[in-house]
Amino acid sequence: MKPIRNSPNPLPTLAFGAHPDDIEFGFGGVVAAETRAKRQVHFVVCSSGESGTNGRPKQRMAEAKKAAGLLGATIEFIKLASDAHLEVCVSHTIRLAEILRRIRPEVVVAPSPVENQHPDHACLGKLVRDAARLARFGGLAELRGQPPHAIKQLFFYAVTAEAEPANVTPLLIDISAPEIVAAWTAAMKAHASQVLTRNYVDFQLTRARLFGARAGVEYAIALFPNEPLVFDSLAKAGRGARHF
Ligand SMILES: [Zn+2]
């Protein structure tokens, strides 16, 4: 697929998914909230989901394009390895670092590297984390075609509860606005082939309600920072989820 952009201006957010539905099920509500706030989000999907139980690649890619459109995001597909064969290796890391240099995002969101989930998700989380490092190394021969780029933040999303990093305090994003929940629900339902496998829509909405209950709002989605976040002042640090 042709590069969507090659601009010196950073893109707000770049999201990676191992399979055509991961981003939407993992944190699609946050994407809807960002695009409604006029912040661009671009998806990079690293397989066509050809090893899934339901849905063939053409259908799954069409579902993903529809879902991205419903969330107001743009999307491209790349091929690293076939579905369920992804491995952590330098060539994949460099390929992803090239994408980071081309798109130049401020915020990057990837699946969590926790092991107890689809192995492609954990591998992609590690690959993106490594790629974010390589993207800023000035002397790497394979990346000389584009200037180095340092992202500002790397967040992980969890497609299942088991994939939530146990030792990381999550950032909870309030997505309770009805139009955001509606857009997210529609985007998840666009993956009609995957909803045949399990009621993923209800599953993710229930998780979001639970995180919302912790935060004192109706729906929230958890993102897990790769490192401590830095704020200019306490006033910009949001609020704690617990109502003391
Ligand atoms: Zn997946």
Side-chain angles (χ1 to χ4, degrees), residues 17-23 60 83 118 120-121 159:
H19 308 114
D21 56 342
D22 293 342
I23 296 169
R60 295 203 60 185
D83 182 3
H118 192 303
D120 288 354
H121 298 177
V159 180

Side-chain angles (χ1 to χ4, degrees), residues 18-105:
H19 308 114
D21 56 342
D22 293 342
I23 296 169
E24 292 86 330
F25 286 122
F27 76 110
V30 178
V31 175
E34 289 294 294
T35 60
R36 268 153 192 73
K38 307 283 182 230
R39 288 168 52 83
Q40 272 181 280
V41 182
H42 182 61
F43 296 174
V44 173
V45 177
C46 302
S47 81
S48 52
E50 64 271 21
S51 298
T53 305
N54 291 305
R56 301 276 53 88
K58 204 171 157 196
Q59 180 189 4
R60 295 203 60 185
M61 290 166 80
E63 290 171 348
K65 285 179 191 165
K66 182 180 173 190
L70 288 165
L71 293 174
T74 50
I75 186 168
E76 70 180 287
F77 293 86
I78 64 164
K79 178 125 179 148
L80 292 177
S82 59
D83 182 3
H85 293 72
L86 195 57
E87 290 179 297
V88 177
C89 63
V90 177
S91 62
H92 291 341
T93 308
I94 287 176
R95 180 91 189 277
L96 296 178
E98 283 170 357
I99 292 170
L100 293 176
R101 285 196 178 188
R102 165 167 58 88
I103 296 183
R104 311 188 80 72

Side-chain angles (χ1 to χ4, degrees), residues 2-240:
K2 273 200 297 192
I4 60 149
R5 71 202 292 279
N6 203 340
S7 156
N9 301 317
L11 182 94
T13 300
L14 177 63
F16 286 93
H19 308 114
D21 56 342
D22 293 342
I23 296 169
E24 292 86 330
F25 286 122
F27 76 110
V30 178
V31 175
E34 289 294 294
T35 60
R36 268 153 192 73
K38 307 283 182 230
R39 288 168 52 83
Q40 272 181 280
V41 182
H42 182 61
F43 296 174
V44 173
V45 177
C46 302
S47 81
S48 52
E50 64 271 21
S51 298
T53 305
N54 291 305
R56 301 276 53 88
K58 204 171 157 196
Q59 180 189 4
R60 295 203 60 185
M61 290 166 80
E63 290 171 348
K65 285 179 191 165
K66 182 180 173 190
L70 288 165
L71 293 174
T74 50
I75 186 168
E76 70 180 287
F77 293 86
I78 64 164
K79 178 125 179 148
L80 292 177
S82 59
D83 182 3
H85 293 72
L86 195 57
E87 290 179 297
V88 177
C89 63
V90 177
S91 62
H92 291 341
T93 308
I94 287 176
R95 180 91 189 277
L96 296 178
E98 283 170 357
I99 292 170
L100 293 176
R101 285 196 178 188
R102 165 167 58 88
I103 296 183
R104 311 188 80 72
E106 291 184 338
V107 177
V108 173
V109 192
S112 88
V114 171
E115 301 290 342
N116 186 16
Q117 58 174 327
H118 192 303
D120 288 354
H121 298 177
C123 279
L124 185 60
K126 291 174 195 164
L127 286 166
V128 171
R129 183 167 58 194
D130 292 347
R133 279 204 167 78
L134 300 198
R136 69 178 166 78
F137 291 166
L140 209 62
E142 296 95 326
L143 296 175
R144 284 217 178 108
Q146 309 230 46
H149 177 69
I151 68 167
K152 284 188 180 169
Q153 293 164 331
L154 170 62
F155 292 109
F156 295 117
Y157 63 89
V159 180
T160 58
E162 291 79 9
E164 294 165 11
N167 53 355
V168 178
T169 301
L171 201 74
L172 298 183
I173 314 278
D174 179 4
I175 57 141
S176 304
E179 67 274 18
I180 292 172
V181 177
W184 182 32
T185 304
M188 291 193 285
K189 285 183 176 170
H191 290 281
S193 66
Q194 302 312 294
V195 178
L196 295 172
T197 309
R198 185 172 166 183
N199 190 347
Y200 289 115
V201 178
D202 188 47
F203 176 70
Q204 300 301 359
L205 289 172
T206 302
R207 286 180 70 212
R209 288 199 71 130
L210 189 57
F211 281 120
R214 279 174 66 182
V217 300
E218 197 171 359
Y219 291 95
I221 289 177
L223 292 179
F224 299 84
N226 183 57
E227 55 264 310
L229 300 177
V230 179
F231 299 98
D232 296 338
S233 78
L234 285 176
K236 292 183 183 168
R239 65 172 176 85

